[in-house]
């Protein structure tokens, strides 16, 4: 399956596995959101109860005050003062209980807020490499393309594919394969700057989104990454066994006026295919 066809499938509905991930994430967000709503509602109810109690205490104190004005007997005055003291203690106890319950709610709301934030982050980050993932691309790639078209600005895109990755997995195991993906992701992150974004599309495939970058700049960046990767020495992290050279192929395209994200992806994918067909470990740009 071609890179761009996979991208089109993702952007237009995706695969069943991705839909399951989306559904689980959506369920988690809905659950945390509902719990947050319930906790906020509980705080509002507490405040309403406190206002009602304050109103009741205020009415009681007004009645006692009126009684005190008309009272002349010392015994009656003492009785009213005792009543005032008792009423004041009730207010203090209720305020203390309210503060305790509000503090508990505040702590719970903060936990739920963090959980909600983490859920959003998990939905945008790749678990293996910590780069942005396909969900992030689904949202931001069309936006960046739209902005570039509206402002007549430049936008380039690099598709990268680690060469012979299946052979690495088959020879050294998936743990080594994942480590190579993480190191490659670190290499991408180290070489981008500003609004540039590296994302893992899936498997051994990556996208580098380069706003405000012309084709020549994207080609230079790709060549820099390619060269650094080629010159790395790879060893098995447990056995010390040499893994050999790890390389990647790159397809580069610059957005054309009025073009949508699917066409941009397709052109970059076509050049990536040419790079791999031409011997791998090279860059082919859509000149």
């Amino acid at each position: 399956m071609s890179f761009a066809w996979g991208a089109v499938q993702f952007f237009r509905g995706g695969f069943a596995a991705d839909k399951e991930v989306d559904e689980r994430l959506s369920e988690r967000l809905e659950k945390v959101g509902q719990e947050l709503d319930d906790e906020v509602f509980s705080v509002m109810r507490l405040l309403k109860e406190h206002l009602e109690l304050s109103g009741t205490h205020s009415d009681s104190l007004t009645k006692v005050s009126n009684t005190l004005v008309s009272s002349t007997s010392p015994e009656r005055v003492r009785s009213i003062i005792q009543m005032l003291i008792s009423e004041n203690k009730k207010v203090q106890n209720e305020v203390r209980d309210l503060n305790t319950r509000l503090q508990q709610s505040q702590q719970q709301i903060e936990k739920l807020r963090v959980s909600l934030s983490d859920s959003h982050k998990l939905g945008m980050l790749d678990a293996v490499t910590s780069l942005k993932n396909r969900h992030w691309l689904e949202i931001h790639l069309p936006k960046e393309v739209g902005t570039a078209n509206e402002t007549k600005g430049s936008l380039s895109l690099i598709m990268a594919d680690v060469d012979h990755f299946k052979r690495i997995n088959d020879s050294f195991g998936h743990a080594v394969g994942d480590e190579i993906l993480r190191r490659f992701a670190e290499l991408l992150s180290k070489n981008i700057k500003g609004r540039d974004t590296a994302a893992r599309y899936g498997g051994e495939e990556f996208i580098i989104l380069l706003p405000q970058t012309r084709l020549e700049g994207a080609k230079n960046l790709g060549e820099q990454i390619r060269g650094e990767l080629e010159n790395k020495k790879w060893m098995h992290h447990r056995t010390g066994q040499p893994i050999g050279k790890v390389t990647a192929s790159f397809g580069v395209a610059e957005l054309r006026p009025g073009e949508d994200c699917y066409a941009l992806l397709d052109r970059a994918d076509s050049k990536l295919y040419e790079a791999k067909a031409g011997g791998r470990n090279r860059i082919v740009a859509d000149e």
Side-chain angles (χ1 to χ4, degrees), residues 142-180:
K143 286 183 179 179
E144 291 291 354
V145 169
T147 298
N149 279 321
E150 288 172 8
T151 61
K152 297 185 178 2
S154 55
L155 172 69
S156 293
L157 184 145
I158 301 174
M159 284 187 176
D161 188 298
V162 178
D163 296 327
H164 302 297
F165 187 72
K166 184 179 185 302
R167 188 167 67 191
I168 296 172
N169 271 339
D170 292 343
S171 300
F172 301 98
H174 289 281
V176 171
D178 284 350
E179 181 62 24
I180 286 174

Side-chain angles (χ1 to χ4, degrees), residues 41-270:
F41 180 78
S42 176
V43 170
M44 292 176 66
R45 187 178 65 248
L46 285 174
L47 293 174
K48 182 180 179 182
E49 290 175 0
H50 179 64
L51 288 173
E52 291 173 350
L53 288 170
S54 296
T56 302
H57 291 313
S58 179
D59 291 342
S60 299
L61 291 174
T62 300
K63 291 178 182 177
V64 170
S65 177
N66 292 336
T67 303
L68 185 61
V69 171
S70 59
S71 298
T72 54
S73 166
E75 290 78 9
R76 182 60 176 160
V77 171
R78 281 197 295 270
S79 175
I80 292 172
I81 291 173
Q82 288 296 326
M83 190 183 301
L84 287 171
I85 293 172
S86 176
E87 197 69 24
N88 185 57
K89 284 183 178 179
K90 283 183 183 179
V91 173
Q92 289 177 338
N93 290 335
E94 286 164 1
V95 169
R96 184 171 60 251
D97 290 344
L98 175 66
N99 285 336
T100 299
R101 291 163 72 186
L102 285 175
Q103 287 176 1
Q104 291 171 347
S105 289
Q106 183 181 16
Q107 292 170 358
Q108 181 64 13
I109 286 173
E110 179 59 22
K111 287 180 182 178
L112 290 169
R113 187 192 66 77
V114 171
S115 180
L116 193 62
S117 176
D118 288 345
S119 295
H120 281 294
K121 288 178 182 176
L122 285 172
M124 295 291 178
L125 295 180
D126 174 63
V128 175
T129 65
S130 296
L131 293 181
K132 298 292 191 297
N133 63 11
R134 287 166 49 166
H135 298 282
W136 185 93
L137 285 168
E138 179 190 30
I139 295 170
H140 290 274
L141 180 55
K143 286 183 179 179
E144 291 291 354
V145 169
T147 298
N149 279 321
E150 288 172 8
T151 61
K152 297 185 178 2
S154 55
L155 172 69
S156 293
L157 184 145
I158 301 174
M159 284 187 176
D161 188 298
V162 178
D163 296 327
H164 302 297
F165 187 72
K166 184 179 185 302
R167 188 167 67 191
I168 296 172
N169 271 339
D170 292 343
S171 300
F172 301 98
H174 289 281
V176 171
D178 284 350
E179 181 62 24
I180 286 174
L181 293 178
R182 280 191 287 270
R183 297 278 294 278
F184 185 54
E186 290 171 3
L187 181 61
L188 298 182
S189 298
K190 185 187 78 169
N191 280 282
I192 61 176
K193 59 184 179 180
R195 291 177 55 204
D196 303 344
T197 305
R200 185 186 179 196
Y201 176 78
E204 67 274 23
E205 301 164 336
F206 295 81
I207 287 178
I208 308 173
L209 191 59
L210 302 166
Q212 300 175 346
T213 302
R214 302 303 303 268
L215 185 67
E216 193 63 29
K219 284 170 55 182
N220 291 339
L221 174 63
E223 180 57 35
Q224 182 175 328
I225 294 169
R226 188 206 62 77
E228 287 188 35
L229 178 65
E230 181 185 31
N231 291 327
K232 280 184 176 294
K233 294 182 179 179
W234 299 86
M235 307 283 286
H236 194 292
H237 64 286
R238 286 200 307 271
T239 67
Q241 176 186 3
I243 294 174
K245 183 182 292 187
V246 176
T247 62
S249 301
F250 301 80
V252 186
E254 181 180 355
L255 184 71
R256 293 171 178 169
E259 188 175 43
D260 63 23
C261 60
Y262 307 115
L264 178 62
L265 284 166
D266 187 59
R267 289 193 296 111
D269 174 60
S270 175

